[in-house]
Protein backbone atom coordinates (compact mmCIF):
# COMPACT_ATOMS: atom_id res chain seq x y z
CA UNK A 1 0.00 0.00 0.00
CA UNK A 2 1.33 3.38 -0.99
CA UNK A 3 0.64 6.95 0.09
CA UNK A 4 -1.21 9.45 -2.08
CA UNK A 5 -0.74 13.21 -2.21
CA UNK A 6 -3.74 15.52 -2.64
CA UNK A 7 -3.54 19.22 -3.55
CA UNK A 8 -5.95 20.94 -1.17
CA UNK A 9 -5.79 24.26 -3.02
CA UNK A 10 -7.28 22.57 -6.09
CA UNK A 11 -10.22 20.59 -4.68
CA UNK A 12 -13.24 20.08 -6.91
CA UNK A 13 -16.51 21.66 -5.85
CA UNK A 14 -18.64 18.58 -5.24
CA UNK A 15 -22.30 18.57 -4.25
CA UNK A 16 -23.49 15.82 -1.91
CA UNK A 17 -25.44 13.05 -3.56
CA UNK A 18 -29.23 13.18 -3.14
CA UNK A 19 -29.06 9.73 -1.50
CA UNK A 20 -27.69 11.35 1.66
CA UNK A 21 -30.89 13.34 2.19
CA UNK A 22 -33.06 10.46 1.02
CA UNK A 23 -31.52 8.22 3.68
CA UNK A 24 -31.57 10.92 6.37
CA UNK A 25 -27.78 11.15 6.64
CA UNK A 26 -26.13 14.17 8.26
CA UNK A 27 -22.41 14.90 7.86
CA UNK A 28 -20.87 16.92 10.69
CA UNK A 29 -17.88 17.38 12.93
CA UNK A 30 -17.93 15.01 15.92
CA UNK A 31 -18.29 16.59 19.34
CA UNK A 32 -16.00 15.70 22.23
CA UNK A 33 -19.01 14.55 24.27
CA UNK A 34 -19.63 11.89 21.60
CA UNK A 35 -16.09 10.51 21.83
CA UNK A 36 -17.07 7.29 23.64
CA UNK A 37 -19.91 6.53 21.21
CA UNK A 38 -17.87 7.25 18.06
CA UNK A 39 -14.79 5.34 19.22
CA UNK A 40 -16.84 2.32 20.31
CA UNK A 41 -18.45 2.25 16.85
CA UNK A 42 -15.06 2.57 15.10
CA UNK A 43 -13.61 -0.29 17.18
CA UNK A 44 -16.61 -2.54 16.59
CA UNK A 45 -16.83 -1.82 12.85
CA UNK A 46 -13.17 -1.43 11.86
CA UNK A 47 -11.05 -2.79 14.70
CA UNK A 48 -8.82 -1.63 17.54
CA UNK A 49 -6.06 -0.08 15.42
CA UNK A 50 -8.47 2.35 13.75
CA UNK A 51 -9.97 3.15 17.16
CA UNK A 52 -6.50 4.10 18.41
CA UNK A 53 -5.92 6.39 15.45
CA UNK A 54 -9.38 7.96 15.61
CA UNK A 55 -8.98 8.67 19.34
CA UNK A 56 -6.18 11.09 18.50
CA UNK A 57 -8.64 13.31 16.57
CA UNK A 58 -10.38 14.11 19.85
CA UNK A 59 -7.16 15.40 21.43
CA UNK A 60 -6.88 18.35 19.05
CA UNK A 61 -8.12 21.82 20.08
CA UNK A 62 -10.70 21.48 17.30
CA UNK A 63 -11.84 17.89 16.76
CA UNK A 64 -10.43 16.60 13.47
CA UNK A 65 -13.01 13.83 13.08
CA UNK A 66 -16.13 14.06 10.95
CA UNK A 67 -19.04 11.66 11.23
CA UNK A 68 -21.98 10.54 9.16
CA UNK A 69 -25.06 10.11 11.33
CA UNK A 70 -28.38 8.51 10.48
CA UNK A 71 -30.95 9.01 13.21
CA UNK A 72 -28.99 8.41 16.39
CA UNK A 73 -26.43 6.04 14.86
CA UNK A 74 -22.94 6.62 13.46
CA UNK A 75 -22.63 5.13 9.97
CA UNK A 76 -19.30 6.58 8.87
CA UNK A 77 -16.31 8.64 9.91
CA UNK A 78 -13.25 10.38 8.52
CA UNK A 79 -10.40 11.90 10.48
CA UNK A 80 -7.12 13.68 9.90
CA UNK A 81 -3.98 14.55 11.86
CA UNK A 82 -4.22 11.22 13.68
CA UNK A 83 -1.18 9.13 12.71
CA UNK A 84 0.78 12.22 11.72
CA UNK A 85 -0.01 15.84 10.92
CA UNK A 86 -1.19 16.32 7.36
CA UNK A 87 -2.41 12.73 7.01
CA UNK A 88 -6.02 11.96 6.11
CA UNK A 89 -7.42 8.88 7.78
CA UNK A 90 -8.59 6.66 9.06
CA UNK A 91 -11.90 6.77 7.28
CA UNK A 92 -14.65 4.19 6.97
CA UNK A 93 -18.32 3.69 6.17
CA UNK A 94 -20.68 1.03 7.51
CA UNK A 95 -21.02 -1.62 4.79
CA UNK A 96 -24.83 -1.24 4.85
CA UNK A 97 -24.52 2.47 3.98
CA UNK A 98 -22.05 2.17 1.12
CA UNK A 99 -23.22 3.48 -2.24
CA UNK A 100 -25.16 6.39 -0.72
CA UNK A 101 -22.32 8.92 -1.11
CA UNK A 102 -21.35 8.84 2.57
CA UNK A 103 -17.66 8.15 1.89
CA UNK A 104 -17.50 10.91 -0.70
CA UNK A 105 -19.20 13.42 1.62
CA UNK A 106 -16.88 12.56 4.51
CA UNK A 107 -13.84 12.74 2.23
CA UNK A 108 -14.68 16.25 1.04
CA UNK A 109 -15.78 17.51 4.46
CA UNK A 110 -12.43 16.41 5.85
CA UNK A 111 -10.31 17.72 2.98
CA UNK A 112 -12.07 21.09 2.96
CA UNK A 113 -11.55 21.27 6.73
CA UNK A 114 -7.84 20.60 6.27
CA UNK A 115 -7.69 23.41 3.70
CA UNK A 116 -9.49 25.76 6.11
CA UNK A 117 -6.85 24.84 8.71
CA UNK A 118 -4.23 26.12 6.22
CA UNK A 119 -2.87 22.85 4.89
CA UNK A 120 -1.79 23.04 1.25
CA UNK A 121 -1.58 19.28 0.76
CA UNK A 122 -2.95 16.15 2.40
CA UNK A 123 -1.39 12.71 2.47
CA UNK A 124 -3.64 9.70 2.31
CA UNK A 125 -1.42 7.10 3.99
CA UNK A 126 -1.35 3.38 3.32
CA UNK A 127 -4.36 3.57 1.04
CA UNK A 128 -6.53 0.54 0.43
CA UNK A 129 -9.25 1.52 -2.04
CA UNK A 130 -7.13 3.60 -4.43
CA UNK A 131 -9.89 3.61 -7.07
CA UNK A 132 -12.22 5.39 -4.61
CA UNK A 133 -9.79 8.28 -4.19
CA UNK A 134 -8.95 8.46 -7.90
CA UNK A 135 -12.67 8.69 -8.71
CA UNK A 136 -12.95 11.98 -6.82
CA UNK A 137 -9.46 13.49 -6.70
CA UNK A 138 -6.43 14.20 -8.85
CA UNK A 139 -3.96 12.35 -6.61
CA UNK A 140 -0.30 11.51 -7.04
CA UNK A 141 1.42 8.42 -5.70
CA UNK A 142 4.29 9.38 -3.41
CA UNK A 143 7.33 7.46 -4.71
CA UNK A 144 8.95 5.10 -2.22
CA UNK A 145 5.97 5.19 0.15
CA UNK A 146 5.01 1.50 -0.05
CA UNK A 147 5.59 1.04 3.68
CA UNK A 148 5.50 4.71 4.68
CA UNK A 149 4.95 5.77 8.27
CA UNK A 150 3.40 2.43 9.24
CA UNK A 151 6.63 0.47 8.72
CA UNK A 152 7.45 -1.44 11.89
CA UNK A 153 4.07 -0.70 13.50
CA UNK A 154 2.92 -3.24 16.08
CA UNK A 155 -0.19 -5.21 15.11
CA UNK A 156 -2.71 -7.32 16.96
CA UNK A 157 -5.41 -9.65 15.65
CA UNK A 158 -8.23 -7.66 14.08
CA UNK A 159 -6.05 -4.74 12.98
CA UNK A 160 -6.74 -5.14 9.27
CA UNK A 161 -10.24 -3.86 8.42
CA UNK A 162 -11.88 -4.78 5.11
CA UNK A 163 -11.27 -2.55 2.09
CA UNK A 164 -13.86 0.15 1.70
CA UNK A 165 -15.53 1.30 -1.47
CA UNK A 166 -18.37 3.79 -1.58
Amino acid sequence: MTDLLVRLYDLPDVQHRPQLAEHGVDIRRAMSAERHVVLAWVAETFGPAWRSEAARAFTRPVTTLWIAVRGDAVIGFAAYDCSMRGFLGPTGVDPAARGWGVGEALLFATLHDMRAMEYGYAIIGGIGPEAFYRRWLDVSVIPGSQHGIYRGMLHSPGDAPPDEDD
Side-chain angles (χ1 to χ4, degrees):
M1 295 191 301
T2 59
D3 296 343
L4 300 176
L5 188 65
V6 180
R7 293 182 318 275
L8 297 178
Y9 53 84
D10 197 21
L11 291 173
D13 185 24
V14 176
Q15 300 298 316
H16 292 320
R17 291 194 213 168
Q19 291 96 319
L20 288 178
E22 291 169 11
H23 291 285
V25 177
D26 185 33
I27 305 294
R28 63 176 175 77
R29 186 184 307 275
M31 297 187 315
S32 293
E34 299 170 312
R35 181 180 193 267
H36 66 290
V37 174
V38 173
L39 294 180
W41 180 84
V42 170
E44 180 182 317
T45 310
F46 297 101
W50 280 21
R51 186 219 177 274
S52 293
E53 279 188 278
R56 180 90 186 268
F58 287 100
T59 68
R60 304 290 183 200
V62 175
T63 304
T64 60
L65 191 141
W66 289 74
I67 55 176
V69 178
R70 184 175 190 213
D72 61 355
V74 177
I75 62 167
F77 82 107
Y80 69 93
D81 281 0
C82 292
S83 294
M84 290 200 162
R85 290 190 186 267
F87 274 69
L88 172 71
T91 179
V93 174
D94 186 307
R98 293 182 187 164
W100 299 352
V102 174
E104 170 194 345
L106 287 166
L107 173 68
F108 282 102
T110 307
L111 292 176
H112 282 286
D113 192 35
M114 291 180 78
R115 179 64 178 150
M117 298 302 276
E118 300 181 342
Y119 284 94
Y121 296 89
I123 298 168
I124 305 171
I127 55 107
E130 185 173 342
F132 170 78
Y133 296 107
R134 289 194 179 281
R135 183 180 336 154
W136 306 113
L137 302 165
D138 181 17
V139 296
S140 302
V141 171
I142 300 174
S145 65
Q146 288 76 9
H147 300 289
I149 65 168
Y150 302 104
R151 180 186 341 228
M153 185 177 103
L154 299 175
H155 296 277
S156 66
D159 277 354
D163 283 343
E164 174 192 329
D165 289 318
D166 190 44

